Amino acid sequence: MTQANMGLIGTGTMGSALALNIAENGYDVAVWNLELSAVDALIASAGDLAQRLVRCDKIVNLVHNLAAPRAIILLVPAGKAVDRCIDELLPLLTPGDTIIDGGNSDFRDTIKRTKRLEEVGLAYLGIGVSGGAEGARRGPSMMAGGTSANYAAVEPILAAIAAKYNGDPCVAHLGPDGAGHFVKTVHNGIEYADMQMIAEVYGLLRDGEGLSAGEGASFFDRWNHGVLESYLIGVTAEVLATKDPQTGAEIVDLIIDKAGQKGTGRWTVIEAIRMGQSASIIEAAVGARVLSSEKTTREIAAPLLVPAGIDTMVTFSEQDLESALIVGRVLAYAQGFRILNAASEEFNWELDFARIAEIWRAGCIIRSAMLDDIADAFRTDLPNGRLVLSEHFIEVLSQNVAGLRRVVAAAALRGLPVPALAAALSWFDTLRQARGTTDLIQAQRDFFGAHSFQRVDVAGYHHGPWDVDKT
Ligand code: 6PG
């Protein structure tokens, strides 16, 4: 029987693409899927690579087609399906074997699963795989969590199949157990924020400037040759320029404006808030998707909630829109890295932020030209690890924030929603406010709850001279 180099369970879109990528890099892959027809479809479409794919009709045969110590990667939906695979594999594996979860799993599940497997002498790696189907096929970015030794055992295969940035494989061992999946979750949070801000600018072009999708496409196309150069801006230009083959209409105009989500953006926000971190741009992006699903409510509200104070003379300049997206992107990355920093401290992961930025430079959904500068900033001059305070980004922000300010103000005057861009601007303005307004909140808390406050002039905790009627 052929002894494959790796086992792969789950031949859906991502799994099939990854299997072909592994095969193309010279490794034999034993493949199994609950619906066997998906394995057959993969092999039928694999061309010459089919000879490197070992069709397994049962999970037990997948295990038998691998020489110990085995490495089996799961590309199944996050949640119960992962546990089902582990349950089935456990009695078949022998100590030293490794199960790799390549899905978008909740890092807390990954921590639990790692413990469960280690107790029986098995290894577990939680690897966030980014790049969609094309990335999986041509080279994804991969964020790995687990022990160094277990990672080292599969590193050659991962490095071979990873996207390369100037020859550097976009894969890294980032920390123990849940670290990789946590970093992938935050990657997705940033992805949500970037997508939302792009969608807001598309809305300003469409509803503010009256441009067609095709006309909007050319803006994104131009921006993709500057500071904003990135996968998501490129995708936007391409999507907006695409016509529906059946009707000839611009395809985006035929798509219902209700956004789906599988959970990673929401998890980012939940974890950020739990750790006392502000993730306002990501939060706005998650909230915007949620509200987008209330299509019926919006349709009912549209004629009823008439906007007062609209100034139809206000317009949006191309340069300001570009600046708005630049500042929004810098700040969304900054929020993401602050969440990573908080988690690194809480879980003792010692995350290498520069390396994370480096492995996001190719293959993943949030890859962008800016990540090279982010990696440099983390390697050189970061006061308190805060991206916005690096020399380079202080300069980028000061050059572009006026554009963001004009865009948010103009959007408000036109009655057009820009929740993520507005959150970005408020976050920026809050950060640069050495004296904020929570002195009042402290006073209010003390007034009704005797919570006490600190004074600027006398050390210790104090109460105000409130005249509160306690009767
Ligand atoms: C990636 C993507 C990918 C997918 C997510 C988000 O990095 O390749 O993040 O993992 O897009 O599942 O999906 P939702 O938008 O459905 O949450």
Side-chain angles (χ1 to χ4, degrees), residues 54-78:
V54 183
R55 178 186 187 274
C56 305
D57 56 357
K58 294 196 183 80
I59 197 165
V60 62
N61 291 337
L62 176 123
V63 174
H64 290 157
N65 273 305
L66 298 166
R70 307 171 179 89
I72 300 170
I73 186 164
L74 314 179
L75 273 307
V76 298

Side-chain angles (χ1 to χ4, degrees), residues 8 10-22 24 42 75 102 104 129-142 161-163 184 187 191 231 235 262 363-365 367:
L8 184 145
T11 55
T13 313
M14 288 292 284
S16 294
L18 206 69
L20 293 173
N21 184 355
I22 299 169
E24 195 163 61
L42 164 64
L75 273 307
N104 274 332
V129 179
S130 179
E134 194 203 333
R137 177 67 185 89
R138 302 284 162 212
S141 166
M142 288 173 286
I161 64 170
K184 174 60 166 61
H187 163 286
E191 171 186 307
Y231 176 70
V235 163
K262 297 197 197 76
C364 72
I365 301 294
R367 63 187 184 259

Side-chain angles (χ1 to χ4, degrees), residues 281-293:
I281 311 172
I282 302 169
E283 199 178 321
V286 174
R289 286 202 194 185
V290 172
L291 205 48
S292 82
S293 303

Side-chain angles (χ1 to χ4, degrees), residues 72-411:
I72 300 170
I73 186 164
L74 314 179
L75 273 307
V76 298
K80 289 198 179 73
V82 177
D83 288 316
R84 268 198 300 271
C85 287
I86 293 173
D87 290 345
E88 288 198 48
L89 283 170
L90 271 189
L92 305 170
L93 298 180
T94 47
D97 291 349
T98 302
I99 298 178
I100 303 166
D101 175 11
N104 274 332
S105 288
D106 184 333
F107 82 106
R108 293 181 186 281
D109 289 339
T110 305
I111 293 175
K112 281 188 218 135
R113 289 166 185 151
T114 305
K115 200 160 170 285
R116 180 182 174 201
L117 265 77
E118 282 176 355
E119 277 166 8
V120 292
L122 296 171
Y124 197 70
L125 293 173
I127 303 190
V129 179
S130 179
E134 194 203 333
R137 177 67 185 89
R138 302 284 162 212
S141 166
M142 288 173 286
M143 296 141 249
T147 69
S148 313
N150 295 333
Y151 174 75
V154 289
E155 206 263 344
I157 298 185
L158 298 179
I161 64 170
K164 310 288 181 306
Y165 182 85
N166 292 338
D168 180 20
C170 290
V171 57
H173 174 239
L174 299 175
D177 46 50
H181 276 143
F182 188 88
V183 173
K184 174 60 166 61
T185 297
V186 173
H187 163 286
N188 283 22
I190 298 170
E191 171 186 307
Y192 274 49
D194 211 40
M195 291 169 74
Q196 173 62 26
M197 290 185 285
I198 290 172
E200 288 171 12
V201 167
Y202 149 71
L204 299 180
L205 293 171
R206 186 189 70 186
D207 303 330
E209 298 297 292
L211 300 185
S212 67
E215 287 165 338
S218 57
F219 285 70
F220 289 96
D221 197 33
R222 284 193 290 280
W223 294 335
N224 205 25
H225 294 93
V227 180
L228 287 174
E229 182 190 336
S230 57
Y231 176 70
L232 282 171
I233 294 282
V235 163
T236 305
E238 210 172 314
V239 163
L240 290 177
T242 302
K243 296 235 166 72
D244 173 42
Q246 271 125 50
T247 62
E250 289 173 322
I251 186 85
V252 75
D253 291 337
L254 301 175
I255 298 174
I256 296 178
D257 57 328
K258 288 165 73 170
Q261 54 177 318
K262 297 197 197 76
T264 44
R266 190 171 61 239
W267 296 343
T268 307
V269 175
I270 291 170
E271 293 301 332
I273 291 174
R274 194 190 55 75
M275 293 187 293
Q277 293 300 310
S278 146
S280 55
I281 311 172
I282 302 169
E283 199 178 321
V286 174
R289 286 202 194 185
V290 172
L291 205 48
S292 82
S293 303
E294 285 197 44
K295 177 86 172 157
T296 314
T297 309
R298 290 188 287 118
E299 281 170 344
I300 295 167
L304 299 177
L305 299 180
V306 180
I310 297 292
D311 183 348
T312 51
M313 300 307 284
V314 178
T315 57
F316 302 93
S317 85
E318 175 165 351
Q319 208 182 346
D320 281 353
L321 291 170
E322 183 181 20
S323 285
L325 284 176
I326 291 170
V327 175
R329 178 172 284 174
V330 171
L331 299 183
Y333 279 130
Q335 290 191 349
F337 277 103
R338 285 164 55 103
I339 299 167
L340 291 178
N341 184 50
S344 184
E345 282 177 11
E346 179 170 330
F347 297 99
N348 291 321
W349 284 339
E350 295 184 13
L351 294 178
D352 179 342
F353 306 120
R355 189 63 193 139
I356 292 169
E358 283 170 0
I359 64 166
W360 286 350
R361 289 178 303 183
C364 72
I365 301 294
I366 62 168
R367 63 187 184 259
S368 80
M370 204 177 273
L371 281 160
D372 216 20
D373 297 324
I374 293 178
D376 280 352
F378 278 120
R379 290 233 181 274
T380 51
D381 78 311
L382 269 192
N384 302 326
R386 299 186 195 290
L387 196 57
V388 291
L389 300 185
S390 79
E391 213 177 294
H392 174 77
F393 286 106
I394 287 175
E395 184 61 23
V396 173
L397 291 170
S398 54
Q399 276 172 12
N400 292 286
V401 77
L404 172 64
R405 200 175 294 290
R406 282 192 290 269
V407 166
V408 172

